[in-house]
Amino acid sequence: MIKVFLIVNSSGKIRIRRFYDEVEFARQQQIEQKLIQLTSKLSPNSCNFFKDLDGIYDKKCKIVMRFFGTLYFIAVIDEDESELGVLDLIQNIVDLMDKIFENACELDVLYHPDKMNALIDEIIVAGIVVETNIMDIQEALKQQETQIKNK
Amino acid sequence: MFHLSQMDQIFLKSLADVVRTSRTTSQYDKLTFTTQTIADIKNEIQSRQESVRYQALLKLFFLAMEGNNIRWAEFQIINLMGSGDFQLKLGAQLAAHLVIDSQSQGLIMVTNVFQKEFKNGHVECSATLSCLGTIANKDLSDSLLPHVLKLTTNTKPLIRKKAIAVLSKIFTINPLNIPGNLEMVIQQLQKETNISVLACGISLFCSVMKVAPKLYPLFLSIVYDQISKQKSNWLLIKLVRISNKLISLEPRFQGKLIEHYTRLLNQTNSKSLQYELIYSIMKYFKNHSQLYESAGDILKQFLNHQDPNLRCLGLECLTHISSSAGLMEFQEQILESFKKSDYFSKLQILQLFKDFTNQQNFQTVIEFFIKYSDLESNHKIIESLIFIIMKDKFINVDDPEKLLLMYIPVIAQKIDTIDNAIRFKELLFELLTRVPGLKVYSDQLCNQILQTYAIQSDSLQGPTLNIVQRHTQLKYSLNHREIIFKSLIMIVGESVKLLKLEALTNIIKFLEQLNILNCYESSLSDIDSLLFKIYIQIIKTDPSNDLIPQIEQLIKNIYIKLHNISIVKISFFYESLILNKTKDQLDQLYNLYAEDLPPINLEAQKLIKPPEGLDINLSFQIDIEEIEKIKNSNNDQLEQKPIIQQLQQIESNQKEQEDQNTLIQKQGENEEELKPLNSKIDPIPKKIFTINRDEELPPGINQNDINKSKEEE
């Protein structure tokens, strides 16, 4: 299960945040700050996942991080989730962003927060990855847009 | 609710306008801009025009992204969730998690809204399920459970998989909802063909097993069924993961999986699936040698892979090799990969060696990590090295002398944090307490470590530990170097009786360097104590020694400094000692430092009455009689099994001989690297030191001596 999913820019501003467990707002902010501090340790040759030894969320969890452009994709996962699977998931999200926004960048996330959040909600529900097929996800998003236009 | 006038509509700011203005606004004007935007949003979100409300919602998203608190908009967003317009509803559901948490009061209002949405088309239903998955709490879950259960039988796979995902959260929040409902879901999953829905189902089982592990028999048949026929890698990964949990609860399940794991291991090229399989095999299939060997071969590929993620996963698998002998097989590869690993992989490798270092590879491990520590990971490496050395009362150390004179000085030079300095201090004290004979090397140890301390005058560089001395109320700060300095001064002080005159002369020369008293002001009392011990040691045997006036001058310099920096008054006793040197005073001081401090100071008891009710005859050390009884009973048992003892000894001798042959080659290579260190060590005849791991009493304290003095009274 994915416990936390964040998309953070290189200045430390959170563009997308999801907490899939019951976590109070005060604790959410603490966790976010500590995860953002960890981004400085990521380098091109480093491993993309590591154990949460400091107990930022839970010592039994792992933190998966990937950097694209100016955005850090951070996921906190428990022992039921595959690390390589989550890395692939992040790659899928980026590919989808490219398809929807055409050469996606951080500004697309700023100007279309509704589309970005809808995209994440089609892939992860209640911390579980429900779909990884790009075509199926695009189809679901198109159905939403059709519904909006048909009002 | 109101309509915006035409004039207002002209000046209405869209999200794009707000973003552009925010990016061009200076930091000083940001607060004004944010306040104005919030005021506009509060106004616009109550408008009757849906487009205006939607823009206000988008602006709320932006404010949240910029780090502003938008929880004041909770009621407005819940209101929008009940709107007739799908775009507004969807936007509000997507923004819900920004304003609602499990403690929110507004969740009560959401129940009815969601119940209505579940009766609508699949698009609304899907969006509502996604929202519920993020904001569900106990009350909301309990009220909406029947609706979600109904949706698990929906014709659309999109709705079914989301409903199952939400169910996993509902069951986790309130496990009382599981009985009766879970069996229904399992029956549906047994007929399910859609891979995404099945994957969600497996995730549901994982969630249920966390809160109700005894329900595992319900999952065995469906998991086994899917493993035998599934071809989707994504689903197989989930199945292997859940199988690990099932095997730990039902070991007989392991036997059923051997054939399928062998097939999958041979067929698959997917690294993620390979990793799951070798992880499972390393942990649970150790008894099946063929499968274990195949997994071991793939594990070696992972450890040697260029991709750091795969190397990291390979190391993760190694944590499940329970024996050190098993790890020794991979030791070279692990150490090679350490050289090119990133920070987190290095931490992982250090953790591995913390668990699996033994006497055989102790020297190799220590020398390797000392050589390959870098700036980023240095503090973690030193922490791990100290742990490995001290583990189980120095169980890995077979040559304490080499440890003290060769490795410890190098480790001391690399310490750069207070935590590690404190750990180093504990290591030194414990080592010298458990191996009393090592104290004779204390001056050499100090020479090696402290020679750079006089050259580099860095009084308070780096983070400091702030201390208030209780009896003097003196406040001072220690950095890592001073912590080490204090501990070494104390060790030399305790070892003064064992040191030769030449060694004591070198110590005095070292302390005479002005830098020492200036740089280490917080340690002046420790230096003072050391000087008195040396003073007493020399003055008793050779009162006319040239060192005496030098020591007296140093003591005077220290008290001048103490006068300047604290409120401590010079003790009349010490002042008169230096000026008069009366025999009585010297004898008293000599007796004070003559032996290790006993637990009960019998001389002090003559002058100070003990408190009422305190039994000073009762030892607070461990009862010696008890220890003797246990030892005797152990000896009886050993006497009954002499043959077993002899056999064990023969085996251990054979093992030692084999190990020595392999170690000889490695030692030859390693000692070349440590040649510069070797040249600093004085040539001393080889002594055999044994580490005291059994006795709880500190060495030097003899219970018989205490008993004798009590009898004399």
Side-chain angles (χ1 to χ4, degrees), chain B residues 226-280:
Chain B
Q226 291 300 323
I227 281 188
S228 29
K229 65 184 183 189
Q230 234 356 288
K231 288 184 184 171
S232 158
N233 282 340
W234 176 37
L235 187 50
L236 280 168
I237 288 167
K238 287 187 182 277
L239 288 165
V240 172
R241 284 234 167 196
I242 196 174
S243 300
N244 291 341
K245 287 188 175 184
L246 291 171
I247 291 170
S248 61
L249 292 164
E250 177 57 79
R252 290 174 294 182
F253 190 53
Q254 177 205 64
K256 297 270 188 185
L257 294 173
I258 296 172
E259 182 198 331
H260 299 295
Y261 275 23
T262 312
R263 173 180 55 87
L264 288 170
L265 203 61
N266 292 332
Q267 285 175 2
T268 187
N269 290 324
S270 158
K271 288 291 178 202
S272 41
L273 182 57
Q274 274 181 349
Y275 165 70
E276 299 299 333
L277 288 166
I278 63 176
Y279 181 93
S280 185

Coordinates of all heavy atoms in Angstrom, one line a residue, chain B residues 226-280:
Chain B
Q226 N -4.3 -18.5 -8.6 CA -3.8 -17.4 -9.5 C -2.3 -17.6 -9.8 O -1.9 -17.3 -11.0 CB -4.1 -16.0 -8.9 CG -5.5 -15.6 -8.8 CD -6.2 -15.6 -10.1 OE1 -5.6 -15.1 -11.1 NE2 -7.4 -16.0 -10.2
I227 N -1.5 -18.0 -8.8 CA -0.1 -18.2 -9.1 C 0.1 -19.3 -10.2 O 1.0 -19.2 -11.0 CB 0.7 -18.6 -7.8 CG1 0.9 -17.4 -6.9 CG2 2.0 -19.3 -8.1 CD1 1.8 -17.6 -5.8
S228 N -0.7 -20.3 -10.2 CA -0.5 -21.4 -11.1 C -0.9 -21.0 -12.5 O -0.4 -21.6 -13.5 CB -1.3 -22.7 -10.7 OG -2.4 -22.4 -10.0
K229 N -1.8 -20.0 -12.7 CA -2.2 -19.8 -14.1 C -1.9 -18.3 -14.6 O -2.0 -18.1 -15.7 CB -3.7 -20.1 -14.2 CG -4.6 -19.2 -13.4 CD -6.1 -19.6 -13.6 CE -7.0 -18.7 -12.9 NZ -8.4 -19.1 -12.8
Q230 N -1.6 -17.4 -13.7 CA -1.4 -16.0 -14.1 C -0.2 -15.8 -14.9 O 0.9 -16.4 -14.6 CB -1.3 -15.2 -12.8 CG -2.3 -14.0 -12.6 CD -3.2 -13.7 -13.7 OE1 -2.8 -13.1 -14.8 NE2 -4.5 -13.9 -13.5
K231 N -0.3 -14.8 -15.8 CA 0.9 -14.5 -16.6 C 1.3 -13.0 -16.5 O 2.3 -12.6 -17.0 CB 0.6 -14.8 -18.1 CG 0.6 -16.3 -18.3 CD 0.5 -16.7 -19.8 CE 0.4 -18.2 -19.8 NZ 0.0 -18.7 -21.1
S232 N 0.4 -12.2 -15.9 CA 0.7 -10.8 -15.8 C 1.8 -10.6 -14.7 O 1.6 -11.0 -13.5 CB -0.6 -10.0 -15.4 OG -0.2 -8.8 -14.8
N233 N 2.9 -9.9 -15.0 CA 4.0 -9.7 -14.1 C 3.5 -8.9 -12.9 O 3.9 -9.2 -11.7 CB 5.2 -9.0 -14.7 CG 6.0 -10.0 -15.6 OD1 5.9 -11.2 -15.4 ND2 6.7 -9.4 -16.5
W234 N 2.7 -7.9 -13.2 CA 2.2 -7.0 -12.1 C 1.5 -7.8 -11.0 O 1.7 -7.7 -9.8 CB 1.4 -5.9 -12.7 CG 0.7 -5.0 -11.7 CD1 1.2 -4.5 -10.6 CD2 -0.6 -4.4 -11.9 NE1 0.4 -3.6 -10.0 CE2 -0.8 -3.5 -10.8 CE3 -1.6 -4.5 -12.8 CZ2 -1.9 -2.8 -10.6 CZ3 -2.7 -3.7 -12.6 CH2 -2.9 -2.9 -11.5
L235 N 0.6 -8.7 -11.5 CA -0.2 -9.5 -10.6 C 0.6 -10.5 -9.9 O 0.5 -10.8 -8.7 CB -1.4 -10.1 -11.3 CG -2.4 -10.9 -10.5 CD1 -2.9 -10.0 -9.3 CD2 -3.6 -11.3 -11.4
L236 N 1.6 -11.1 -10.6 CA 2.4 -12.2 -10.0 C 3.3 -11.6 -8.9 O 3.5 -12.2 -7.9 CB 3.4 -12.8 -11.1 CG 2.7 -13.8 -12.0 CD1 3.6 -14.2 -13.2 CD2 2.4 -15.1 -11.2
I237 N 3.7 -10.3 -9.1 CA 4.5 -9.7 -8.0 C 3.7 -9.6 -6.7 O 4.2 -9.9 -5.6 CB 5.0 -8.3 -8.5 CG1 6.1 -8.4 -9.5 CG2 5.5 -7.5 -7.3 CD1 6.4 -7.1 -10.2
K238 N 2.4 -9.2 -6.9 CA 1.6 -9.1 -5.7 C 1.3 -10.5 -5.1 O 1.3 -10.6 -3.9 CB 0.2 -8.5 -6.1 CG 0.3 -7.0 -6.4 CD -1.0 -6.4 -6.6 CE -1.0 -4.9 -6.9 NZ -0.9 -4.0 -5.7
L239 N 1.2 -11.5 -6.0 CA 0.9 -12.8 -5.5 C 2.1 -13.4 -4.7 O 1.9 -14.0 -3.7 CB 0.5 -13.7 -6.7 CG -0.8 -13.5 -7.3 CD1 -0.9 -14.2 -8.6 CD2 -2.0 -14.0 -6.4
V240 N 3.3 -13.1 -5.2 CA 4.5 -13.6 -4.5 C 4.6 -13.0 -3.2 O 4.9 -13.6 -2.1 CB 5.7 -13.4 -5.4 CG1 7.0 -13.8 -4.6 CG2 5.7 -14.3 -6.6
R241 N 4.3 -11.7 -3.1 CA 4.4 -10.9 -1.8 C 3.4 -11.5 -0.8 O 3.8 -11.6 0.4 CB 4.1 -9.4 -2.1 CG 5.2 -8.7 -2.7 CD 5.6 -7.5 -2.0 NE 6.9 -7.0 -2.5 CZ 7.7 -6.1 -1.9 NH1 7.4 -5.6 -0.7 NH2 8.8 -5.8 -2.4
I242 N 2.2 -11.7 -1.3 CA 1.2 -12.2 -0.3 C 1.5 -13.6 0.1 O 1.3 -14.1 1.2 CB -0.2 -12.0 -0.8 CG1 -1.2 -12.2 0.4 CG2 -0.6 -13.0 -1.9 CD1 -2.6 -11.9 0.1
S243 N 2.1 -14.4 -0.8 CA 2.5 -15.8 -0.5 C 3.6 -15.8 0.6 O 3.5 -16.7 1.5 CB 3.1 -16.5 -1.7 OG 2.2 -16.5 -2.7
N244 N 4.4 -14.8 0.7 CA 5.4 -14.7 1.8 C 4.7 -14.7 3.1 O 5.1 -15.4 4.1 CB 6.3 -13.5 1.6 CG 7.2 -13.5 0.5 OD1 7.5 -14.6 -0.1 ND2 7.7 -12.4 0.0
K245 N 3.7 -13.9 3.2 CA 2.9 -13.7 4.4 C 2.2 -15.1 4.8 O 2.1 -15.5 5.9 CB 1.8 -12.6 4.3 CG 2.4 -11.2 4.3 CD 1.3 -10.2 4.4 CE 1.8 -8.9 4.5 NZ 0.8 -7.9 4.7
L246 N 1.6 -15.7 3.7 CA 0.9 -16.9 3.9 C 1.8 -18.1 4.4 O 1.5 -18.9 5.2 CB 0.1 -17.3 2.6 CG -1.0 -16.4 2.3 CD1 -1.5 -16.8 0.9 CD2 -2.2 -16.5 3.3
I247 N 3.0 -18.1 3.8 CA 4.0 -19.1 4.2 C 4.4 -19.0 5.7 O 4.5 -20.0 6.4 CB 5.3 -19.1 3.3 CG1 4.9 -19.5 1.9 CG2 6.4 -20.0 3.9 CD1 6.1 -19.3 0.9
S248 N 4.5 -17.7 6.1 CA 5.0 -17.5 7.5 C 3.8 -18.0 8.5 O 4.1 -18.4 9.6 CB 5.3 -16.1 7.8 OG 4.2 -15.2 7.5
L249 N 2.6 -17.9 8.0 CA 1.5 -18.4 8.8 C 1.2 -19.9 8.6 O 0.7 -20.5 9.6 CB 0.2 -17.5 8.5 CG 0.3 -16.1 8.9 CD1 -0.8 -15.3 8.2 CD2 0.2 -15.9 10.4
E250 N 1.4 -20.4 7.4 CA 1.1 -21.7 7.1 C 2.3 -22.3 6.3 O 2.3 -22.3 5.1 CB -0.2 -21.8 6.3 CG -0.6 -23.2 5.8 CD -0.7 -24.2 6.9 OE1 -1.8 -24.2 7.6 OE2 0.2 -25.0 7.2
P251 N 3.3 -22.9 7.1 CA 4.5 -23.3 6.4 C 4.3 -24.4 5.3 O 5.1 -24.6 4.4 CB 5.3 -23.9 7.6 CG 4.8 -23.2 8.8 CD 3.4 -23.0 8.5
R252 N 3.2 -25.2 5.5 CA 2.9 -26.2 4.5 C 2.6 -25.7 3.1 O 2.8 -26.4 2.1 CB 1.8 -27.1 4.9 CG 2.1 -28.0 6.1 CD 0.9 -28.7 6.6 NE -0.1 -27.8 7.2 CZ -1.2 -28.2 7.7 NH1 -1.5 -29.5 7.8 NH2 -2.1 -27.3 8.2
F253 N 2.2 -24.4 3.0 CA 2.0 -23.8 1.8 C 3.2 -23.7 0.9 O 3.2 -23.6 -0.3 CB 1.4 -22.4 2.0 CG 0.8 -21.7 0.8 CD1 -0.1 -22.3 0.0 CD2 1.2 -20.4 0.5 CE1 -0.6 -21.7 -1.1 CE2 0.7 -19.7 -0.6 CZ -0.2 -20.4 -1.4
Q254 N 4.4 -23.7 1.6 CA 5.7 -23.5 0.9 C 5.9 -24.7 -0.1 O 6.3 -24.5 -1.2 CB 6.8 -23.5 2.0 CG 8.2 -23.4 1.5 CD 9.1 -24.0 2.5 OE1 9.1 -25.2 2.8 NE2 10.0 -23.2 3.0
G255 N 5.5 -25.9 0.4 CA 5.8 -27.1 -0.5 C 5.0 -27.0 -1.8 O 5.5 -27.4 -2.8
K256 N 3.8 -26.4 -1.7 CA 3.0 -26.3 -2.9 C 3.6 -25.3 -4.0 O 3.3 -25.4 -5.2 CB 1.6 -25.7 -2.5 CG 0.8 -26.6 -1.6 CD 0.0 -27.6 -2.4 CE -1.0 -28.4 -1.5 NZ -1.7 -29.4 -2.3
L257 N 4.4 -24.4 -3.5 CA 4.8 -23.3 -4.4 C 6.1 -23.6 -5.1 O 6.5 -22.9 -6.0 CB 5.0 -22.0 -3.6 CG 3.7 -21.4 -3.0 CD1 4.0 -20.3 -2.1 CD2 2.8 -21.0 -4.1
I258 N 6.8 -24.7 -4.7 CA 8.2 -24.9 -5.2 C 8.2 -25.0 -6.7 O 9.0 -24.4 -7.4 CB 8.8 -26.2 -4.6 CG1 9.0 -26.0 -3.1 CG2 10.1 -26.5 -5.2 CD1 9.4 -27.3 -2.4
E259 N 7.2 -25.8 -7.2 CA 7.2 -26.1 -8.6 C 6.9 -24.8 -9.4 O 7.6 -24.5 -10.4 CB 6.0 -27.1 -8.9 CG 5.8 -27.5 -10.3 CD 4.4 -28.1 -10.5 OE1 3.9 -28.7 -9.5 OE2 3.9 -28.0 -11.6
H260 N 6.0 -24.0 -8.9 CA 5.6 -22.8 -9.6 C 6.7 -21.7 -9.5 O 7.0 -21.0 -10.5 CB 4.3 -22.2 -9.0 CG 3.2 -23.1 -9.2 ND1 2.7 -23.5 -10.4 CD2 2.4 -23.8 -8.3 CE1 1.7 -24.3 -10.2 NE2 1.5 -24.6 -9.0
Y261 N 7.4 -21.7 -8.4 CA 8.5 -20.7 -8.3 C 9.7 -21.1 -9.2 O 10.3 -20.2 -9.8 CB 9.0 -20.6 -6.8 CG 8.2 -19.7 -5.9 CD1 6.9 -19.3 -6.2 CD2 8.8 -19.2 -4.8 CE1 6.2 -18.5 -5.4 CE2 8.0 -18.3 -3.9 CZ 6.7 -18.0 -4.2 OH 6.0 -17.1 -3.4
T262 N 9.9 -22.4 -9.3 CA 11.0 -22.9 -10.2 C 10.7 -22.5 -11.6 O 11.5 -22.0 -12.3 CB 11.2 -24.4 -10.1 OG1 11.2 -24.7 -8.7 CG2 12.4 -24.8 -10.8
R263 N 9.4 -22.7 -12.0 CA 9.0 -22.4 -13.4 C 9.1 -20.9 -13.6 O 9.7 -20.5 -14.6 CB 7.5 -22.8 -13.5 CG 6.9 -22.4 -14.9 CD 5.4 -22.9 -15.0 NE 4.6 -22.5 -13.8 CZ 3.9 -21.3 -13.7 NH1 4.0 -20.4 -14.7 NH2 3.2 -21.1 -12.7
L264 N 8.6 -20.1 -12.7 CA 8.6 -18.6 -12.9 C 10.1 -18.1 -12.9 O 10.4 -17.2 -13.7 CB 7.9 -17.9 -11.8 CG 6.3 -18.1 -11.8 CD1 5.7 -17.6 -10.5 CD2 5.7 -17.4 -13.0
L265 N 10.9 -18.7 -12.1 CA 12.3 -18.2 -12.0 C 13.1 -18.5 -13.3 O 13.9 -17.7 -13.8 CB 13.0 -18.9 -10.8 CG 14.3 -18.2 -10.2 CD1 13.9 -16.8 -9.7 CD2 14.9 -19.1 -9.1
N266 N 12.7 -19.6 -13.9 CA 13.4 -20.0 -15.2 C 12.9 -19.2 -16.4 O 13.6 -18.9 -17.3 CB 13.3 -21.5 -15.4 CG 14.0 -22.3 -14.4 OD1 15.0 -21.8 -13.9 ND2 13.5 -23.5 -14.1
Q267 N 11.6 -18.9 -16.3 CA 10.9 -18.3 -17.5 C 11.0 -16.8 -17.5 O 11.2 -16.2 -18.6 CB 9.4 -18.6 -17.5 CG 9.2 -20.1 -17.9 CD 7.7 -20.4 -17.8 OE1 6.8 -19.5 -17.5 NE2 7.3 -21.6 -18.1
T268 N 11.0 -16.1 -16.4 CA 10.8 -14.7 -16.4 C 12.1 -13.9 -16.7 O 13.1 -14.3 -16.2 CB 10.1 -14.1 -15.1 OG1 9.8 -12.7 -15.3 CG2 11.1 -14.3 -13.9
N269 N 12.0 -12.8 -17.4 CA 13.1 -11.9 -17.6 C 12.9 -10.6 -16.8 O 13.7 -9.7 -16.8 CB 13.2 -11.5 -19.1 CG 13.7 -12.7 -19.9 OD1 14.5 -13.5 -19.4 ND2 13.2 -12.8 -21.1
S270 N 11.7 -10.4 -16.2 CA 11.4 -9.2 -15.5 C 12.2 -9.1 -14.2 O 12.1 -10.0 -13.4 CB 9.9 -9.2 -15.2 OG 9.6 -8.3 -14.1
K271 N 12.9 -8.1 -14.0 CA 13.8 -7.9 -12.8 C 12.9 -7.8 -11.6 O 13.3 -8.3 -10.5 CB 14.7 -6.7 -13.0 CG 15.8 -6.9 -14.0 CD 16.8 -7.8 -13.5 CE 17.9 -8.0 -14.6 NZ 18.6 -9.3 -14.5
S272 N 11.8 -7.1 -11.7 CA 11.0 -6.9 -10.5 C 10.4 -8.2 -10.0 O 10.4 -8.5 -8.8 CB 9.9 -5.9 -10.7 OG 9.3 -6.1 -12.0
L273 N 10.0 -9.1 -10.9 CA 9.5 -10.4 -10.5 C 10.6 -11.3 -10.0 O 10.5 -12.0 -9.1 CB 8.7 -11.0 -11.7 CG 8.1 -12.4 -11.4 CD1 7.1 -12.3 -10.2 CD2 7.4 -12.9 -12.6
Q274 N 11.8 -11.2 -10.7 CA 12.9 -12.0 -10.2 C 13.3 -11.7 -8.8 O 13.6 -12.5 -8.0 CB 14.1 -11.7 -11.1 CG 14.2 -12.6 -12.4 CD 15.4 -12.3 -13.2 OE1 16.1 -11.3 -13.0 NE2 15.7 -13.1 -14.2
Y275 N 13.3 -10.4 -8.5 CA 13.6 -9.9 -7.2 C 12.6 -10.5 -6.2 O 13.0 -11.0 -5.1 CB 13.6 -8.4 -7.1 CG 13.6 -7.9 -5.7 CD1 14.7 -8.1 -4.8 CD2 12.5 -7.3 -5.1 CE1 14.7 -7.7 -3.5 CE2 12.5 -6.9 -3.8 CZ 13.6 -7.1 -3.0 OH 13.5 -6.7 -1.7
E276 N 11.4 -10.4 -6.4 CA 10.3 -10.9 -5.5 C 10.6 -12.4 -5.3 O 10.5 -12.9 -4.1 CB 8.9 -10.7 -6.0 CG 8.5 -9.3 -6.3 CD 8.5 -8.5 -5.0 OE1 8.4 -9.0 -3.9 OE2 8.8 -7.2 -5.1
L277 N 10.9 -13.1 -6.3 CA 11.1 -14.6 -6.2 C 12.3 -14.9 -5.4 O 12.3 -15.8 -4.4 CB 11.2 -15.2 -7.6 CG 9.9 -15.3 -8.4 CD1 10.1 -15.6 -9.8 CD2 8.9 -16.3 -7.8
I278 N 13.5 -14.3 -5.7 CA 14.7 -14.6 -4.9 C 14.6 -14.1 -3.5 O 15.1 -14.8 -2.6 CB 16.0 -14.0 -5.6 CG1 16.0 -12.5 -5.6 CG2 16.2 -14.7 -7.0 CD1 17.3 -12.0 -6.2
Y279 N 13.9 -13.1 -3.2 CA 13.6 -12.6 -1.8 C 12.9 -13.7 -1.1 O 13.2 -14.0 0.1 CB 12.8 -11.3 -1.9 CG 12.6 -10.7 -0.5 CD1 13.4 -9.8 0.0 CD2 11.4 -11.1 0.2 CE1 13.2 -9.2 1.3 CE2 11.2 -10.5 1.4 CZ 12.0 -9.6 2.0 OH 11.8 -9.0 3.2
S280 N 11.8 -14.2 -1.7 CA 11.0 -15.2 -1.1 C 11.8 -16.5 -0.8 O 11.7 -17.1 0.2 CB 9.8 -15.5 -1.9 OG 8.9 -16.4 -1.3

